Amino acid sequence: MGMKMKKIFSVVLVFFFAVCALSALSIEFGYDGSVRDPDSSKRRDDELVGVIIRANVEADIYINGKHFGKTPFATVDLSATHYNLELRRDGYDTISCKIYPRRRYTYTYEFVMQKTCGFISVKNYPSGSYVYVDGTRESSFPVEVTPGNHTVKVRKFGYEDYVERFYVENHKTVTVNVSLKTAPFKISDFKISKSKINPDYTSGIGKVTFSFDVTNDGSAILSVNDRYGNDVWSHEYKSFSTWEQSITWDGKGNNGERIPDGQYTVNLYSFDYDQSIPIKIDRSMIYPLSVYTPSGSGIGSLPCAFGDGVNYVKLFVDFGPMINMNGDKISLYSLPITTGMIVDFARYWELSGSVGVGAATANGKNPILLNGGLKRNFVISLGSGMKMDIAGLIDYNYCNTMGYAPLGSGIGEGLGLGFAAAFETNMLYFGVSGEYSFAKTTNTNEQDILKYGAVASFKPVKNLKTSAWASMTNNKVLEGGVEFITMPGSCAFCFDAKASVLTDITSENKNMFINAKFGLSYLF
């Protein structure tokens, strides 16, 4: 009995010393089952507790629910016997565990955070298929995604689209087995890019694009017929190898012959499909010869009420030196460069925008200039080729540098409203324009700006126009200038040049600014 008690006592004693040793080493079991223990070489010379927390990515550290900063992290003098530790980072799984630091040691904890993600694997799709995961085309699988709802779409010409929606759990893989069905031949979405063209323009603006979709191999005939039903142009599709079909027509006959002005019909037919869309050839349609102003298309610096009713997109860039003449002294004030776009849509609506920089500015600030505008034109026919044009507009202008606009001649920085009216014939244009800005000039702190003026232009031929304009800003800054713009031959490029003079008529200072500007634009 005595021997047995000695053995039991020895076992208990060994167990007690083992527990004490483990306690000194503060072994902890992590959330993932791994064992973390302090580095014994980090034994401290004081009675404090040190803790170092590291992770493979930067993460927020929470101890007992309180935010302590981000990894890597170090602290001393934690007095409790254990702590609840959390590491959090968006897009990664949260790590939660308990730590048991002991005095006279510095404990180092290393964590590996895993991304919060799932996987999608797509199988059994035929060669040549287009596979999309949430709208993005993928070529190799599995694909990593965030947990949640996702969509897989598989396309192959000649087959019906395969679409499957499902939920992906965290760290799980969803396998999609694709089964495509043969699609019957079908035509859809037949449309034309323009309802009216002038074939005398040999560039893209004088052409029209016909487009439609098909689902499988087949055949079809596309034709343009006159009012008597005669084919003036046709194209035969003997087979198809992709969904989207398009072809451009230059407004000429099958043999390149000139087709008379008038109303025509575009026909597309195949088996059980037959659809027609009207189109007009009109050589009297002229694309506008205009330049960009901070408030949209116009003449010089004034927006105008052009009533062309022609849908187009114009990309432009203009630049030119601005010279400061102060008595006998002549110097370069700035070299502004501007680029932007004008979009005419729904016949008489116009949307415009530009961005520019005042390069080589005398004060060295080189400001950024932003402009945007929306204009609505109205046309009143007066007969015999004459018409009255009216337009209303809203714009917004911005300049990040005060003191840039010479003499405050710009319409200002902020929101503005404008109005324009004109009398127009095929060769002449006479108009007035006014803008009121609820803002300030970029030269002074004046509030509310009124700029008004008049324009006149003469167009001896359809591809050349000369113009002149004059304006007044807040009844003190006078601006006047001339402008030339041309569209050589029948191309889509326009070239323009203009020169203007600005002066403050209320000032005793005879300071003037002369601005020469050159522009290039492209219509399509």
Side-chain angles (χ1 to χ4, degrees):
M1 187 68 176
M3 184 62 67
K4 189 173 184 180
M5 288 297 296
K6 288 181 180 180
K7 289 182 178 180
I8 294 174
F9 179 75
S10 299
V11 170
V12 171
L13 190 62
V14 170
F15 178 77
F16 174 76
F17 281 113
V19 169
C20 291
L22 289 174
S23 177
L25 292 175
S26 183
I27 296 178
E28 293 106 23
F29 292 88
Y31 76 105
D32 55 359
S34 60
V35 178
R36 303 182 183 87
D37 57 333
D39 185 346
S40 59
S41 65
K42 295 295 182 67
R43 182 178 178 87
R44 305 179 63 87
D45 296 330
D46 51 35
E47 296 295 324
L48 301 179
V49 176
V51 173
I52 299 173
I53 300 173
R54 298 194 184 103
N56 58 318
V57 294
E58 184 182 77
D60 289 292
I61 299 172
Y62 292 84
I63 299 178
N64 289 344
K66 181 180 178 181
H67 186 248
F68 270 69
K70 297 179 180 292
T71 58
F73 171 82
T75 188
V76 296
D77 197 17
L78 294 177
S79 57
T81 57
H82 71 275
Y83 299 87
N84 295 317
L85 173 66
E86 281 192 356
L87 298 185
R88 304 176 190 171
R89 179 184 171 96
D90 290 341
Y92 287 79
D93 295 343
T94 297
I95 292 179
S96 298
C97 63
K98 292 183 181 296
I99 58 174
Y100 301 86
R102 296 289 183 267
R103 292 187 179 278
R104 301 183 65 84
Y105 284 91
T106 294
Y107 298 86
T108 299
Y109 299 92
E110 300 278 354
F111 295 93
V112 176
M113 300 192 72
Q114 296 182 343
K115 279 188 175 182
T116 301
C117 66
F119 300 90
I120 296 175
S121 181
V122 182
K123 297 182 177 181
N124 300 327
Y125 55 89
S127 176
S129 298
Y130 296 85
V131 183
Y132 302 88
V133 175
D134 298 329
T136 301
R137 187 178 175 186
E138 303 289 350
S139 57
S140 61
F141 297 95
V143 174
E144 181 180 305
V145 296
T146 58
N149 294 309
H150 296 275
T151 301
V152 166
K153 181 177 181 178
V154 181
R155 300 194 75 198
K156 181 176 173 61
F157 183 69
Y159 294 87
E160 295 180 356
D161 291 352
Y162 178 91
V163 179
E164 186 172 344
R165 299 174 179 85
F166 45 84
Y167 185 88
V168 178
E169 297 181 10
N170 192 26
H171 301 308
K172 300 291 184 180
T173 299
V174 173
T175 300
V176 179
N177 291 299
V178 178
S179 178
L180 296 183
K181 297 180 180 179
T182 302
F185 176 73
K186 183 180 179 181
I187 297 177
S188 63
D189 201 22
F190 177 43
K191 57 188 176 183
I192 64 177
S193 60
K194 302 173 186 176
S195 60
K196 182 170 63 173
I197 62 170
N198 181 350
D200 285 352
Y201 289 95
T202 57
S203 62
I205 59 176
K207 301 176 182 179
V208 60
T209 299
F210 308 136
S211 61
F212 58 95
D213 294 339
V214 297
T215 58
N216 208 331
D217 191 14
S219 61
I221 296 177
L222 180 65
S223 66
V224 178
N225 302 103
D226 61 20
R227 59 178 179 170
Y228 303 108
N230 300 314
D231 286 359
V232 297
W233 176 88
S234 63
H235 179 80
E236 182 179 0
Y237 294 89
K238 295 183 179 180
S239 64
F240 299 103
S241 59
T242 189
W243 299 277
E244 294 84 14
Q245 306 296 320
S246 65
I247 189 169
T248 299
W249 182 49
D250 59 5
K252 298 178 182 179
N254 285 315
N255 298 317
E257 68 272 20
R258 178 186 175 91
I259 294 178
D261 287 8
Q263 194 70 45
Y264 293 83
T265 302
V266 185
N267 301 295
L268 177 63
Y269 53 92
S270 175
F271 303 117
D272 59 349
Y273 185 89
D274 190 350
Q275 186 174 349
S276 301
I277 301 176
I279 189 172
K280 186 177 183 180
I281 294 180
D282 183 3
R283 290 179 174 82
S284 67
M285 182 179 68
I286 305 298
Y287 283 89
L289 296 176
S290 61
V291 300
Y292 179 82
T293 78
S295 304
S297 62
I299 293 173
S301 63
L302 297 175
C304 295
F306 296 121
D308 300 285
V310 180
N311 294 340
Y312 67 93
V313 176
K314 175 185 284 188
L315 302 177
F316 71 88
V317 60
D318 62 36
F319 62 94
M322 185 175 290
I323 307 299
N324 185 3
M325 297 184 62
N326 192 350
D328 295 333
K329 185 178 179 181
I330 300 176
S331 60
L332 176 67
Y333 177 80
S334 183
L335 182 62
I337 303 172
T338 305
T339 184
M341 175 185 295
I342 299 175
V343 180
D344 264 34
F345 63 98
R347 287 179 61 80
Y348 294 111
W349 286 91
E350 177 187 284
L351 183 65
S352 60
S354 72
V355 58
V357 60
T361 302
N363 59 18
K365 294 183 178 180
N366 299 328
I368 301 298
L369 309 170
L370 301 174
N371 307 101
L374 178 65
K375 183 167 66 173
R376 175 65 163 95
N377 296 314
F378 300 88
V379 176
I380 303 173
S381 178
L382 304 177
S384 302
M386 298 182 295
K387 56 185 177 181
M388 176 70 73
D389 301 330
I390 301 173
L393 61 93
I394 181 171
D395 59 26
Y396 188 87
N397 301 295
Y398 170 78
C399 176
N400 70 338
T401 303
M402 293 294 293
Y404 173 69
L407 307 177
S409 64
I411 191 59
E413 179 183 287
L415 183 68
L417 300 175
F419 172 82
F423 170 79
E424 185 178 9
T425 69
N426 292 333
M427 298 178 63
L428 302 174
Y429 181 97
F430 297 98
V432 294
S433 176
E435 293 181 80
Y436 193 87
S437 179
F438 307 93
K440 57 190 176 185
T441 67
T442 52
N443 188 55
T444 69
N445 286 322
E446 291 186 53
Q447 299 297 316
D448 298 345
I449 304 161
L450 175 63
K451 181 176 182 178
Y452 55 90
V455 299
S457 67
F458 173 62
K459 186 167 60 176
V461 294
K462 74 172 186 177
N463 290 339
L464 175 65
K465 184 172 73 173
T466 63
S467 306
W469 81 93
S471 69
M472 185 74 75
T473 301
N474 281 359
N475 294 321
K476 72 173 187 177
V477 178
L478 177 65
E479 177 184 15
V482 294
E483 171 187 287
F484 300 88
I485 183 168
T486 181
M487 183 186 292
S490 298
C491 72
F493 284 98
C494 293
F495 301 91
D496 65 86
K498 56 185 175 182
S500 61
V501 178
L502 302 92
T503 185
D504 187 346
I505 61 176
T506 65
S507 174
E508 295 181 359
N509 189 344
K510 301 302 181 182
N511 191 26
M512 291 192 306
F513 286 88
I514 298 177
N515 187 199
K517 190 169 288 187
F518 305 92
L520 173 65
S521 55
Y522 180 78
L523 280 73
F524 60 93

